[in-house]
Amino acid sequence: MPSLPHRLLRTFIVLIAAWFGVSVLVVLVLRFVPPWTSATMMERRVAAVLHGEHDFTLHYRWTPWNELSPWVPLAMMAGEDQKFPFHHGFDFDAIQDALDAADEGRRLRGASTISQQVAKNLFLWNGRSFVRKGLEAYFAVLIETLWPKRRILEVYCNIAELGDGIYGTGAASAAFFRVPPGQLGPEQAARLAAVLPNPRRLHADRPSPYVLRRSAWILRQMQHLGGPAYLARLDH
């Protein structure tokens, strides 16, 4: 009979293998099935209960790609990850720039790609631990391997928090602009992308000077990328 350490090691290996298998299966299924919720949505619900926010309501409505205004995914790429069509989940130039900024004592810059943000928002908790970053990298690789670029961006546009308790373009377009997501124009799309640094403090419908400046910058970047025609690069 195997010794206790060997049995424990075998059990550990089986559990790890099972976890990897389940994670791959879940990511593969979500390539075709809209996620009914996300880790960040569940975390926000729990926080509302713990903080006694009895009037809190979470708004989330899935909007398929063909019902989204093309300005929305373009604005998300322009504001968050302009190299999204070309990288494989990680923008190493942005990571190096962030490290250089930290070494020089400047404000820490984000370097997460859209793929990494989808991985974090969909599967993980908020935080800065090495464990969470490692899992984020793992799920980003899975997503990039198993999903086409268009699907990654479609999910991002649907689960990104765009206001306090407001997730995705469908809910945000109704809450802020009173129009269907397919009717959002470039300025409205740029405002949605502009609040992503802090969507619980910044407002697309009541833009602060910062949101106005950032949305104007995103609009210029959208034009620089070539407008909605840039989305065709997702299929290459």
Side-chain angles (χ1 to χ4, degrees), residues 1 57 184:
M1 174 180 288
T57 302
L184 291 171

Side-chain angles (χ1 to χ4, degrees), residues 32-110:
F32 306 101
V33 178
W36 62 274
T37 188
S38 70
T40 53
M41 293 183 213
M42 291 189 289
E43 189 175 26
R44 183 66 185 94
R45 286 186 187 275
V46 171
V49 172
L50 293 178
H51 296 141
E53 300 176 42
H54 303 296
D55 58 345
F56 173 77
T57 302
L58 190 145
H59 301 274
Y60 166 61
R61 186 177 69 226
W62 176 265
T63 304
W65 180 271
N66 59 5
E67 295 179 18
L68 278 174
S69 164
W71 296 108
V72 173
L74 177 64
M76 298 301 178
M77 284 194 293
E80 296 293 302
D81 186 3
Q82 295 186 16
K83 297 179 182 177
F84 174 70
F86 311 109
H87 64 62
H88 299 289
F90 306 93
D91 186 345
F92 293 104
D93 291 336
I95 293 172
Q96 186 60 55
D97 289 344
L99 291 174
D100 291 342
D103 288 341
E104 295 171 7
R106 288 180 280 145
R107 184 173 62 88
L108 187 63
R109 298 171 51 187

Side-chain angles (χ1 to χ4, degrees), residues 35 41 60-65 67-77 80 84 114 117-118 121 147 149-162 166-173 181 184 189 192-193 196 231 234:
M41 293 183 213
Y60 166 61
R61 186 177 69 226
W62 176 265
T63 304
W65 180 271
E67 295 179 18
L68 278 174
S69 164
W71 296 108
V72 173
L74 177 64
M76 298 301 178
M77 284 194 293
E80 296 293 302
F84 174 70
I114 284 175
Q117 292 182 54
V118 169
N121 292 343
W147 295 3
K149 286 286 189 177
R150 192 178 293 264
R151 177 60 173 178
I152 299 173
L153 191 53
E154 178 186 35
V155 172
Y156 182 69
C157 290
N158 274 281
I159 67 171
E161 186 176 16
L162 299 172
I166 298 173
Y167 292 84
T169 306
S173 61
L184 291 171
L192 291 179
L196 284 171
L231 299 175
L234 298 173

Side-chain angles (χ1 to χ4, degrees):
M1 174 180 288
S3 64
L4 178 60
H6 282 92
R7 292 201 304 272
L8 291 175
L9 178 61
R10 185 171 60 186
T11 300
F12 177 75
I13 292 173
V14 169
L15 290 175
I16 292 295
W19 184 85
F20 277 110
V22 169
S23 63
V24 170
L25 179 61
V26 169
V27 172
L28 185 59
V29 167
L30 289 176
R31 171 174 176 167
F32 306 101
V33 178
W36 62 274
T37 188
S38 70
T40 53
M41 293 183 213
M42 291 189 289
E43 189 175 26
R44 183 66 185 94
R45 286 186 187 275
V46 171
V49 172
L50 293 178
H51 296 141
E53 300 176 42
H54 303 296
D55 58 345
F56 173 77
T57 302
L58 190 145
H59 301 274
Y60 166 61
R61 186 177 69 226
W62 176 265
T63 304
W65 180 271
N66 59 5
E67 295 179 18
L68 278 174
S69 164
W71 296 108
V72 173
L74 177 64
M76 298 301 178
M77 284 194 293
E80 296 293 302
D81 186 3
Q82 295 186 16
K83 297 179 182 177
F84 174 70
F86 311 109
H87 64 62
H88 299 289
F90 306 93
D91 186 345
F92 293 104
D93 291 336
I95 293 172
Q96 186 60 55
D97 289 344
L99 291 174
D100 291 342
D103 288 341
E104 295 171 7
R106 288 180 280 145
R107 184 173 62 88
L108 187 63
R109 298 171 51 187
S112 292
T113 63
I114 284 175
S115 302
Q116 290 174 272
Q117 292 182 54
V118 169
K120 175 179 72 70
N121 292 343
L122 200 53
F123 298 112
L124 303 172
W125 64 96
N126 283 314
R128 294 183 178 275
S129 69
F130 288 111
V131 172
R132 196 200 65 79
K133 290 301 291 185
L135 288 172
E136 177 186 301
Y138 167 72
F139 278 109
V141 169
L142 273 189
I143 288 168
E144 282 278 345
T145 302
L146 298 176
W147 295 3
K149 286 286 189 177
R150 192 178 293 264
R151 177 60 173 178
I152 299 173
L153 191 53
E154 178 186 35
V155 172
Y156 182 69
C157 290
N158 274 281
I159 67 171
E161 186 176 16
L162 299 172
D164 188 13
I166 298 173
Y167 292 84
T169 306
S173 61
F176 300 142
F177 304 118
R178 306 294 191 270
V179 298
Q183 294 181 13
L184 291 171
E187 292 82 6
Q188 293 166 320
R191 283 196 190 180
L192 291 179
V195 306
L196 284 171
N198 194 338
R200 297 181 193 177
R201 184 174 62 86
L202 304 175
H203 307 281
D205 57 338
R206 294 177 283 114
S208 64
Y210 168 81
V211 171
L212 291 175
R213 289 195 303 272
R214 180 161 171 79
S215 60
W217 179 85
I218 290 173
L219 276 170
R220 292 193 297 272
Q221 297 304 305
M222 291 160 68
Q223 295 169 353
H224 176 72
L225 292 174
Y230 191 69
L231 299 175
R233 296 179 178 270
L234 298 173
D235 301 320
H236 293 168

